[in-house]
Amino acid sequence: MEKLDRLTVSEGVRIFPGLIDAPAQKVLIGEVAALFVQSPLYRPVMPGSGTPFRVEQTCFGPLGWVSDRSGYRYQPYHPVTGQEWATIPPALLTLWNELTGYPAPPECCLVNFYRGDQAKMGLHQDRDEPALDAPVLSLSLGDSALFRLGGSTRKGPTRSFRLNSGDGLIFGGPARLSFHGIDRLYPDTSRLIDGGGRINLTLRRVTRP
Ligand code: MD3
Ligand code: FE
């Protein structure tokens, strides 16, 4: 995995198109799929209402982010199996070190799996991590998606970017609390994932080191 290009799209937001080349994407998706045995994908529900998410999720690492009727939180075990989450693949820890320079490792790799024409993610902030000084590193695999980025309040202008397989994104500093979401997938734009779909990996530091 080697970065080919870097671009700051706004203060604290850096896009790395083609961060992970095609051979490395294949290796990575194989590693991730193998970890789904210990940490299977499942469909979380919204706090309160219990409405199912339009993505499936799982996590790797000592702490995983979960959502259920009682709320959002990080916890050390899978909510369906009760087992500890699988370990974060070493290649992802290396990318974190190279790209973020943050002085402590990520504790959560949240996996979002988008499949079908209804899979999307509404505009939201990620603010369940006490370590808000740490950036979030996002990696896209599989079909392309339309990503929407806003500011630190829900109202106000947004910009949209297409994310392709192998692209990386870093959100830090003033952009860490930006509203963001995935509006739609572009089906059949990648052959990386059997049966189609998109996997997004986000690496997060949760606790303050
Ligand atoms: C900006 N994932 O997992 S990645 C998420 O593609 C999430 O699945 C989307 O939003 C996805 O929470 C978008 C880009 C992203 C991820 C985390 C962020 C942008 C972010 C955290 C803070 C600010
Ligand atoms: Fe998010």
Side-chain angles (χ1 to χ4, degrees), residues 3-14:
K3 62 178 185 297
L4 305 177
D5 189 14
R6 76 171 49 191
L7 183 60
T8 297
V9 300
S10 65
E11 203 180 327
V13 183
R14 284 184 294 161

Side-chain angles (χ1 to χ4, degrees), residues 110 112 114 121 124 126 136 138 147 169 171 175-176 178 180 182 198 200 202 204:
L110 174 62
N112 294 311
Y114 297 78
M121 188 175 287
H124 67 277
D126 290 31
V136 172
S138 153
F147 172 67
L169 270 172
F171 296 83
R176 178 62 181 79
S178 299
H180 59 278
I182 294 290
R198 171 174 184 267
N200 178 256
T202 54
R204 299 129 184 272

Side-chain angles (χ1 to χ4, degrees), residues 4 20 50 58 77 93 99 116 119 134-135 147 151 155 177 182 190 196 205:
L4 305 177
I20 307 173
T58 190
Y77 56 89
L93 301 180
L99 295 180
F147 172 67
K155 50 178 291 187
L177 290 176
I182 294 290
S190 166
R205 179 72 196 186

Side-chain angles (χ1 to χ4, degrees), residues 3-204:
K3 62 178 185 297
L4 305 177
D5 189 14
R6 76 171 49 191
L7 183 60
T8 297
V9 300
S10 65
E11 203 180 327
V13 183
R14 284 184 294 161
I15 288 201
F16 300 83
L19 174 70
I20 307 173
D21 67 19
Q25 289 174 42
K26 285 192 180 173
V27 172
L28 183 55
I29 199 76
E31 290 176 346
V32 165
L35 298 179
F36 290 161
V37 177
Q38 179 179 347
S39 294
L41 290 165
Y42 70 101
R43 194 174 295 275
V45 299
M46 298 291 292
S49 67
T51 305
F53 280 28
R54 285 161 299 196
V55 298
E56 292 176 79
Q57 293 189 334
T58 190
C59 296
F60 310 138
L63 288 173
W65 185 87
V66 300
S67 174
D68 62 18
R69 280 185 180 268
S70 359
Y72 304 136
R73 65 192 172 275
Y74 281 92
Q75 65 181 40
Y77 56 89
H78 192 290
V80 177
T81 68
Q83 299 302 301
E84 289 186 353
W85 305 99
T87 301
I88 299 174
L92 297 182
L93 301 180
T94 301
L95 271 180
W96 170 271
N97 289 336
E98 291 175 351
L99 295 180
T100 72
Y102 192 74
E107 295 167 296
C108 174
C109 175
L110 174 62
V111 183
N112 294 311
F113 179 48
Y114 297 78
R115 179 170 275 176
D117 53 9
Q118 295 307 309
K120 54 186 175 174
M121 188 175 287
L123 214 59
H124 67 277
Q125 288 173 301
D126 290 31
R127 51 186 305 167
D128 300 323
E129 303 78 18
L132 284 175
D133 61 315
V136 172
L137 171 58
S138 153
L139 304 169
S140 293
L141 294 170
D143 285 335
S144 300
L146 186 61
F147 172 67
R148 185 192 293 263
L149 177 65
S152 53
T153 60
R154 183 173 289 280
K155 50 178 291 187
T158 63
R159 283 183 296 167
S160 292
F161 303 88
R162 181 176 167 137
L163 296 179
N164 299 317
S165 194
D167 291 353
L169 270 172
I170 293 186
F171 296 83
R176 178 62 181 79
L177 290 176
S178 299
F179 278 84
H180 59 278
I182 294 290
D183 287 340
R184 58 161 296 200
L185 289 201
Y186 296 98
D188 303 319
T189 48
S190 166
R191 301 190 54 180
L192 186 68
I193 298 172
D194 287 339
R198 171 174 184 267
I199 285 180
N200 178 256
L201 307 172
T202 54
L203 292 166
R204 299 129 184 272

